[in-house]
Amino acid sequence: MGQASGIGLISKDQEIVFYDIDRKKLNRLREQGYNTSTDLPKVDKMSEILMISVPTPTIQGQMNLSFVLLVAQNVGKALEGVGEYKLVTLRSTVLPTTTRCRVIPTLMKYSKLQAGQDFGVCFNPEFLTEKNALNDFLKPNRVIIGEFDKKSGDLLQKIYEKFKTKIIRTDLDTAEMIKYASNLFLATKISYFNEIYLICQKLGLDANIVSKAVALDPRIGAYGVHGGRPFGGKCLPKDLAAFTNFVKTLNLNPKLLDAISLINEEIQLHYKKKSMS
Ligand SMILES: NC(=O)c1ccc[n+]([C@@H]2O[C@H](COP(=O)([O-])OP(=O)(O)OC[C@H]3O[C@@H](n4cnc5c(N)ncnc54)[C@H](O)[C@@H]3O)[C@@H](O)[C@H]2O)c1
């Protein structure tokens, strides 16, 4: 996601320096003519805005924040000596309250600086798909800016000015929630049509004809309507599991989210059996 975003921003006349702990990735980018650096403090010094796009895997149902917090520590340490206002923007998918309660305290602890006064913070979720990463980045349906304060949001908005799309500015927690509400709706839609698929099978009906006809309603649309396959990919399963468990820690009972996951498990078994036969 970071690579597609960086390349996309370059095409919109932004100057970008790529930083990654994976040297092979950086070498590949350098060979393609992109600006790269292996020195985070130098990147911090050179850049007005730092964008963090590291993994947030789900391990045993829990969001693992170790990559994000390690980068926040490193960026914090690097910010300490910079002596200039910088904007730190988290782009990794994280559960609501993470930027405010985990990332900002880490940045402040390691930089010994004050958020808002010495540096700005935004959470800016990404909606691109792995398949079509660059094109999706360049043609977003909306840009969501979760801002610690107005100064942070104003600075981030400047880099999205060339994108002809709606920009929604809100607080950090709401922006984090928007990303999950979007991803989990897509998972819901896929599980719903998988349930329809299983029902059609039982009745001896062609689920494809049903899905095609239903998808023609513009309120429904074509995404995810063809049943028979579980949702996979890097994001939907991990985000569904992490969010469902997070909601349970709030003493809520997310009945629909549990059902989405159960249907996905059922269709996974069905799909495996079908591919083996
Ligand atoms: N892949 C997608 O389609 C997509 C879409 C939207 C959002 N997201 C979210 O974006 C985030 C990143 O996902 P991704 O698919 O791009 O992951 P990825 O694994 O493809 O890329 C993450 C990069 O972070 C680097 N990294 C890890 N630790 C680092 C550190 N300490 N310092 C510097 N670099 C470090 C890794 O080497 C890797 O190159 C996740 O939170 C994911 O949920 C992904």
Side-chain angles (χ1 to χ4, degrees):
M1 184 264 269
Q3 183 172 311
S5 305
I7 294 173
L9 287 171
I10 291 167
S11 76
K12 299 279 184 187
D13 299 328
Q14 299 292 336
E15 273 181 53
I16 301 287
V17 182
F18 291 94
Y19 170 81
D20 201 302
I21 47 167
D22 183 341
R23 298 288 154 96
K24 280 190 196 149
K25 239 181 206 180
L26 276 190
N27 286 342
R28 277 200 300 273
L29 284 166
R30 206 183 40 247
E31 280 159 21
Q32 289 169 48
Y34 296 111
N35 243 334
T36 64
S37 175
T38 51
D39 182 351
L40 184 58
K42 209 166 136 198
V43 175
D44 269 23
K45 218 174 181 132
M46 286 157 71
S47 315
E48 195 180 10
I49 302 176
L50 298 146
M51 292 184 149
I52 303 174
S53 313
V54 292
T56 45
T58 298
I59 298 174
Q60 289 174 341
Q62 310 294 321
M63 175 181 66
N64 182 295
L65 263 188
S66 58
F67 295 93
V68 169
L69 294 181
L70 180 64
V71 174
Q73 279 182 27
N74 294 341
V75 168
K77 282 181 204 156
L79 281 179
E80 192 185 357
V82 165
E84 261 179 72
Y85 182 93
K86 303 283 178 187
L87 174 67
V88 182
T89 298
L90 181 62
R91 308 213 64 232
S92 306
T93 303
V94 291
L95 291 167
T97 71
T98 302
T99 309
R100 185 168 55 84
C101 299
R102 306 291 305 277
V103 178
I104 293 178
T106 308
L107 287 167
M108 295 209 320
K109 180 176 167 193
Y110 285 87
S111 64
K112 305 188 187 78
L113 297 171
Q114 196 57 42
Q117 186 185 300
D118 304 311
F119 63 92
V121 180
C122 282
F123 174 73
N124 170 221
E126 178 53 59
F127 300 94
L128 59 77
T129 61
E130 262 174 270
K131 240 193 207 166
N132 221 359
L134 180 58
N135 203 39
D136 289 346
F137 176 79
L138 289 171
K139 292 190 182 127
N141 309 105
R142 72 290 203 205
V143 166
I144 309 297
I145 296 179
E147 60 198 43
F148 177 76
D149 56 9
K150 186 175 177 306
K151 186 175 176 184
S152 307
D154 286 349
L155 197 52
L156 188 59
Q157 180 158 349
K158 274 202 324 198
I159 76 156
Y160 285 112
E161 250 146 31
K162 286 196 177 160
F163 289 70
K164 289 188 183 75
T165 193
K166 198 174 172 62
I167 295 180
I168 293 168
R169 287 180 56 172
T170 182
D171 59 81
L172 297 166
D173 295 8
T174 306
E176 290 164 335
M177 185 68 198
I178 289 168
K179 173 65 187 168
Y180 281 93
S182 303
N183 267 13
L184 302 189
F185 178 76
L186 301 178
T188 310
K189 196 174 176 197
I190 295 168
S191 275
Y192 170 79
F193 278 97
N194 274 327
E195 186 148 279
I196 294 292
Y197 167 89
L198 292 172
I199 296 167
C200 284
Q201 281 223 318
K202 194 82 182 169
L203 292 171
L205 304 176
D206 185 339
N208 243 333
I209 298 177
V210 173
S211 292
K212 260 191 200 158
V214 173
L216 290 174
D217 183 333
R219 292 170 303 174
I220 298 176
Y223 176 88
V225 300
H226 290 285
R229 271 174 184 254
F231 53 80
K234 262 184 164 175
C235 292
L236 296 190
K238 84 167 174 76
D239 292 347
L240 175 63
F243 192 79
T244 305
N245 286 321
F246 165 73
V247 171
K248 288 178 183 170
T249 67
L250 305 174
N251 288 328
L252 293 169
N253 177 14
K255 297 174 277 298
L256 182 58
L257 297 182
D258 278 334
I260 300 166
S261 173
L262 285 174
I263 296 168
N264 206 47
E265 281 164 27
E266 190 179 347
I267 208 79
Q268 229 154 13
L269 287 177
H270 175 89
Y271 185 65
K272 258 191 205 155
K273 267 192 213 156
K274 223 176 132 193
S275 1
M276 281 190 302
S277 63

